[in-house]
């Protein structure tokens, strides 16, 4: 029995597809080669005998410096508020004990302050009393020294008077005396008056030209031993001013001649003379 071969139904389609693919490939090759072999177009160029001046490019301005924004300062973190714990209320007995202790301390402090104040007052009183005693002692010592000086001067005056030559006992009026050389005595009186008068400070309310007479005891050295008002001018201020001037002028000038010296002088003063 003979076998009859069967025909494939898809063979025709495969053959058609293969033919189409080959035709498409040939077309692509043909057009690709033709595009690549295209002749270039002619190029035209101009010839210049000198290059034209070309303006140099301007330098671009430098960019502005970058602005650096300040960093914000970190805000301080708020501190947590301390917690105040309520104090436990003391027990009644403890509170009374503390109150009693505070009162005792206050009274003790008050007593100490009073004691310190009393001590300061006592010290001040003692110091003032001591100063008073020292002042009284110094005053008494000064009076004793003045009395001793006065006695010594009186003794010296007595010795000088005893050893001096006898003189007239008449009082000194204007000039020291009328005994002896009157010219020398008048000159001595003028010198005494010339030294005393500049020291007399006249009171502002003095009126007229009143006369004040003083008895003045003088040592042989010219020192004034004593001043006594014999006749007032009627103005206490003027009398005191003359007495202060006599004491301030000590020692008084001595006479040029020894024999005309007298220990007791009567001096007259008028403010307008």
């Amino acid at each position: 029995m003979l076998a009859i071969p069967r025909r494939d139904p898809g063979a025709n389609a495969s053959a058609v597809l293969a033919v189409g693919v080959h035709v498409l490939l040939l077309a692509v090759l043909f057009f690709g080669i033709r595009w690549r072999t295209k002749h270039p177009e002619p190029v035209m160029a101009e010839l210049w005998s000198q290059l034209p001046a070309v303006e140099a490019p301007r330098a671009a301005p430098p960019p502005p410096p970058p602005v650096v924004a300040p960093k914000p300062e970190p805000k301080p973190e708020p501190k947590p508020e301390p917690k105040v714990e309520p104090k436990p209320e003391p027990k009644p007995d403890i509170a009374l004990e503390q109150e009693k202790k505070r009162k005792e301390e206050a009274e003790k402090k008050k007593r100490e302050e009073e004691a310190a104040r009393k001590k300061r007052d006592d010290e001040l009183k003692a110091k003032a009393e001591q100063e008073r005693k020292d002042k009284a002692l110094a005053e008494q010592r000064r009076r004793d020294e003045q009395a001793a000086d006065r006695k010594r001067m009186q003794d010296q005056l007595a010795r000088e008077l005893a050893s001096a030559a006898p003189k007239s006992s008449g009082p000194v009026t204007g000039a020291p005396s009328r005994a002896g050389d009157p010219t020398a005595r008048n000159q001595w009186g003028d010198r005494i008056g010339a030294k005393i008068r500049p020291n007399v400070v006249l009171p502002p309310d003095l009126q007229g030209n009143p006369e004040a007479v003083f008895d003045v005891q003088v040592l042989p050295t010219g020192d004034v031993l004593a001043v006594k008002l014999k006749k007032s001018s009627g103005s206490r201020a003027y009398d005191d001013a003359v007495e202060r001037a006599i004491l301030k002028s000590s020692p008084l000038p001595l006479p040029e001649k020894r024999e005309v010296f007298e220990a007791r002088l009567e001096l007259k003063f008028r403010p307008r003379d």
Side-chain angles (χ1 to χ4, degrees):
M1 185 174 177
L2 294 172
I4 300 174
R6 294 183 178 182
R7 190 176 180 180
D8 188 0
N12 294 329
S14 299
V16 174
L17 181 61
V19 172
V21 169
H22 282 85
V23 172
L24 180 62
L25 178 62
L26 289 174
V28 169
L29 290 175
F30 175 76
F31 287 107
I33 292 172
R34 186 179 178 184
W35 174 73
R36 291 181 178 276
T37 56
K38 185 178 180 180
H39 295 287
E41 296 180 358
V43 178
M44 297 180 68
E46 283 187 59
L47 298 178
W48 298 80
S49 61
Q50 185 179 358
L51 293 176
V54 179
E55 185 178 357
R58 295 181 180 179
V67 179
V68 180
K71 295 182 180 181
E73 296 183 358
K75 295 183 179 180
E77 297 181 359
K79 295 182 179 180
E81 296 182 358
K83 296 181 180 180
V84 180
E85 297 182 357
K87 294 182 180 180
E89 295 183 359
K91 296 181 180 180
D93 294 341
I94 298 177
L96 292 175
E97 187 67 24
Q98 291 178 351
E99 183 67 21
K100 182 179 179 181
K101 188 176 181 180
R102 282 195 297 269
K103 289 182 179 181
E104 291 177 354
E105 290 178 354
E107 291 177 357
K108 182 180 178 181
K109 185 178 180 180
K110 184 177 180 181
R111 288 194 299 270
E112 291 176 353
E113 291 177 353
E114 290 179 354
R117 184 167 57 254
K118 186 175 182 301
K119 183 179 179 181
R120 288 194 301 268
D121 294 343
D122 293 342
E123 290 177 353
L124 291 175
K125 289 179 180 179
K127 185 178 179 180
E129 182 66 19
Q130 185 64 34
E131 290 178 354
R132 188 186 64 79
K133 290 181 179 179
D134 294 343
K135 187 176 180 180
L137 183 62
E139 182 67 20
Q140 182 63 35
R141 189 182 296 114
R142 185 182 64 82
R143 287 197 295 268
D144 294 343
E145 291 176 356
Q146 289 179 350
D149 292 341
R150 193 179 300 108
K151 186 175 183 304
R152 184 169 56 254
M153 294 173 70
Q154 290 176 351
D155 294 342
Q156 182 179 357
L157 177 61
R159 289 193 298 270
E160 292 288 342
L161 292 176
S163 61
K167 299 179 178 63
S168 171
S169 58
V172 177
T173 304
S177 178
R178 292 191 300 271
D181 188 352
T183 303
R185 292 186 178 279
N186 290 334
Q187 291 177 353
W188 183 27
D190 294 340
R191 292 172 59 197
I192 292 175
K195 186 173 183 180
I196 295 175
R197 285 190 181 89
N199 295 326
V200 178
V201 180
L202 297 177
D205 56 347
L206 183 64
Q207 297 179 358
N209 193 24
E211 182 183 62
V213 182
F214 289 88
D215 279 337
V216 182
Q217 294 183 6
V218 186
L219 293 176
T221 57
D223 293 306
V224 177
L225 180 62
V227 178
K228 183 179 180 181
L229 179 63
K230 185 176 181 181
K231 178 185 176 183
S232 174
S233 64
S235 173
R236 177 65 179 274
Y238 179 67
D239 296 343
D240 294 342
V242 174
E243 183 176 354
R244 286 192 298 268
I246 295 172
L247 295 174
K248 185 178 180 181
S249 303
S250 179
L252 298 177
L254 295 176
E256 295 181 358
K257 293 183 179 181
R258 178 69 179 178
E259 61 271 13
V260 300
F261 173 81
E262 284 193 2
R264 185 174 178 180
L265 305 176
E266 182 181 276
L267 302 180
K268 299 178 180 180
F269 293 91
R270 291 186 177 90
R272 310 304 177 191
D273 291 351

